[in-house]
């Protein structure tokens, strides 16, 4: 039994920790997006949903307590629909879609909401209490390296120059600004009203504003400006804030149904997930994960790179993006055509679902058939999912 995506939306991506969602909770953000997704399919009774699968890379504090179940309760106005939280770091949002599709194909469910959310504004990178295994930390310290150090290792091992990284970063901003000016993300994004309390002149005041545009892209950036930034992670290194993905806040979800439910709802599907693969690579160069994951996904799908019209490669860092592009000889004319995470942001557990929504709408705009979402994943992994527009 085939599974189909029939709706998908995302929030705008807010800059963390000072953007429009800086005081928003992840559960509120996700619930708002899901409510909109459900509202676009009025023939579906929310109580018919079998599960809500939520990707989240730091499931603790405000994002803890099985946030997936709490989001289900908040978004669907019923306690009959279950919820679960999934963590594959940067691939969490894509993993949930693959899980939903697999469960439906196996006959375990007919309707699943899948996606992810991350509000990085109030969350330290890695979480509030990191407790490495002491023996492993001595034997394999690189298993616990922060992502910036792995990006430095990739730049060194794959000979990616600082100049090439900064040029790649500039192009990401330029493409993202062009996409925003052309309104290409309008169909993706659910405008979200934020109510904020603050103190002014010893008085409690309230203001409201709407977040409906990605906050990361900068029209004023330049190679000169990027070149002046200092390395962040290593003395004498080449990874800067300008050629790295931005910490971000956001949520994105899709609605996946079985062929049986599709007929009952009498609705036209948007797309289907053709294949999904993950792969392991050395943690110290985790950024090359897509190099192993992409060929596996293509083989599963019975496709070649030339069959893909669009590729969304998550720009965790310019160094790893360029290493992947060069290793697989990816067609840059098809890659991140509307910019990537260096400009648009990377809300960790949300990103895979966010890129899926973005990809499907761009495939529709261009009347093209196959596209891929792929990313590197912390601790040495890669993930890739191939979608077919219907």
């Amino acid at each position: 039994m085939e599974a189909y995506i029939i709706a998908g939306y995302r929030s705008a991506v807010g800059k963390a920790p000072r953007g429009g969602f800086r005081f928003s909770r992840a559960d509120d953000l996700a619930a708002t997006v899901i409510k909109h997704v459900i509202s676009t399919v009025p023939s579906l009774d929310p109580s018919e949903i079998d599960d809500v699968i939520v990707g989240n890379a730091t499931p603790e504090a405000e994002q803890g307590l099985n946030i997936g179940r709490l989001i289900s309760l908040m978004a669907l106005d019923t306690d009959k629909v279950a919820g679960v939280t999934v963590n594959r770091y940067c691939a969490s949002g894509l993993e949930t879609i693959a899980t939903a599709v697999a469960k439906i194909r196996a006959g375990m469910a007919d309707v699943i909401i899948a996606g992810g959310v991350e509000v990085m504004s109030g969350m330290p990178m890695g979480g509030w209490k990191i407790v490495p295994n002491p023996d492993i930390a001595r034997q394999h310290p690189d298993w616990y390296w922060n992502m910036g150090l792995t990006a430095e290792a990739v730049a060194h091992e794959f000979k990616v120059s600082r100049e090439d990284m900064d040029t790649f970063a500039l192009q990401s901003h330029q493409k993202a600004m062009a996409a925003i000016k052309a309104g290409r993300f309008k169909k993706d994004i659910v405008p979200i009203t934020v109510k904020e309390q603050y103190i002014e002149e010893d008085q409690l005041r309230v203001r409201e504003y709407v977040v409906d545009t990605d906050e990361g892209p900068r029209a004023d950036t330049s190679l000169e400006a990027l070149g002046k930034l200092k390395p962040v992670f290593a003395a004498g290194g080449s990874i800067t804030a300008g050629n790295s993905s931005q910490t971000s806040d956001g949520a994105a979800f899709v609605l996946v149904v079985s062929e049986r439910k599709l007929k009952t709802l009498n609705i036209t599907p948007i797309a289907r997930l053709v294949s999904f693969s993950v792969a392991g690579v050395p943690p110290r160069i985790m950024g090359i994960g897509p190099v192993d994951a992409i060929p596996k996904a293509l083989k599963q799908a019975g496709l070649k790179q030339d069959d893909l019209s669009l590729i969304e490669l998550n720009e965790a860092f310019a160094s790893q993006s360029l290493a992947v592009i060069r290793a697989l000889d990816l067609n840059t004319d098809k890659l991140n055509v509307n910019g990537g995470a260096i400009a648009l942001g990377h809300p960790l557990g949300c990103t895979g679902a966010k890129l899926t929504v973005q990809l499907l709408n761009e495939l529709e705009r261009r009347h093209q058939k196959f596209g891929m979402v792929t990313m590197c994943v912390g601790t040495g992994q890669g993930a890739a999912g191939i979608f077919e527009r219907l």
Side-chain angles (χ1 to χ4, degrees), residues 277 289-300 303 305 328 372 384:
S277 287
V291 173
D292 285 10
I294 289 172
K296 289 177 69 176
L298 286 167
K299 184 177 179 180
Q300 272 188 21
L303 298 172
Q305 281 192 39
L328 293 178
M372 178 172 63

Side-chain angles (χ1 to χ4, degrees), residues 84-317:
V84 65
T85 308
V86 171
N87 182 6
R88 197 189 288 276
Y89 286 163
C90 306
S92 299
L94 183 59
E95 180 73 33
T96 64
I97 297 171
T99 300
V101 168
K103 290 182 74 172
I104 289 172
R105 284 176 177 166
M108 295 179 180
D110 281 308
V111 186
I112 297 177
I113 293 172
V117 64
E118 202 85 33
V119 173
M120 300 177 73
S121 283
M123 190 72 63
M125 185 65 71
W128 288 100
K129 186 179 180 182
I130 303 172
V131 187
N133 181 306
D135 291 334
I136 297 300
R138 283 190 291 269
Q139 297 166 22
H140 302 283
D142 54 299
W143 290 9
Y144 295 112
W145 276 8
N146 70 52
M147 298 300 96
L149 289 179
T150 71
E152 289 284 7
V154 169
H156 175 74
E157 189 161 325
F158 291 83
K159 296 178 174 55
V160 184
S161 71
R162 168 71 185 270
E163 183 181 9
D164 285 351
M165 285 186 253
D166 287 350
T167 299
F168 184 85
L170 176 62
Q171 291 169 349
S172 183
H173 281 280
Q174 290 173 335
K175 289 188 286 187
M177 286 304 306
I180 289 172
K181 288 180 180 179
R184 290 182 206 145
F185 298 140
K186 291 292 186 184
K187 193 172 181 181
D188 299 8
I189 294 173
V190 180
I192 294 179
T193 300
V194 175
K195 182 180 288 188
E196 190 175 283
Q197 294 182 331
Y198 64 103
I199 300 293
E200 185 177 81
E201 297 177 350
D202 295 326
Q203 297 291 319
L204 178 64
R205 303 185 188 279
V206 178
R207 59 184 167 215
E208 288 189 0
Y209 54 88
V210 176
V211 181
D212 61 1
T213 304
D214 296 317
E215 297 177 341
R218 297 185 56 164
D220 61 345
T221 195
S222 65
L223 276 180
E224 182 181 8
L226 289 167
K228 291 179 180 178
L229 296 174
K230 295 181 179 180
V232 177
F233 302 100
S238 55
I239 309 302
T240 71
N243 57 40
S244 306
S245 59
Q246 300 183 31
T247 54
S248 311
D249 307 322
F253 290 89
V254 300
L255 183 57
V256 189
V257 303
S258 66
E259 192 166 0
R260 177 171 55 237
K261 180 56 69 173
L262 189 71
K263 292 176 181 176
T264 301
L265 295 173
N266 191 29
I267 193 168
T268 302
I270 295 172
R272 70 183 185 97
L273 178 67
V274 181
S275 68
F276 173 75
S277 287
V278 293
V281 298
R284 63 179 294 276
I285 49 172
M286 70 92 198
I288 66 163
V291 173
D292 285 10
I294 289 172
K296 289 177 69 176
L298 286 167
K299 184 177 179 180
Q300 272 188 21
L303 298 172
K304 297 179 180 179
Q305 281 192 39
D306 289 344
D307 296 319
L308 302 174
S309 297
L310 293 171
I311 300 171
E312 289 288 347
L313 169 64
N314 185 45
E315 297 171 357
F317 298 92

Side-chain angles (χ1 to χ4, degrees), residues 26-39 45-47 49 51-52 54 67-79 81-82 113 253:
D27 46 13
D28 286 326
L29 200 59
T32 301
V33 173
I34 290 174
K35 285 178 180 179
H36 182 82
V37 171
I38 295 301
S39 73
D45 182 342
S47 65
I49 298 168
D51 207 356
V52 175
V54 177
I67 191 174
R69 170 58 173 157
L70 293 167
I71 288 168
S72 169
L73 289 165
M74 294 166 63
L76 303 178
D77 297 321
T78 175
D79 57 13
V81 181
I113 293 172
F253 290 89

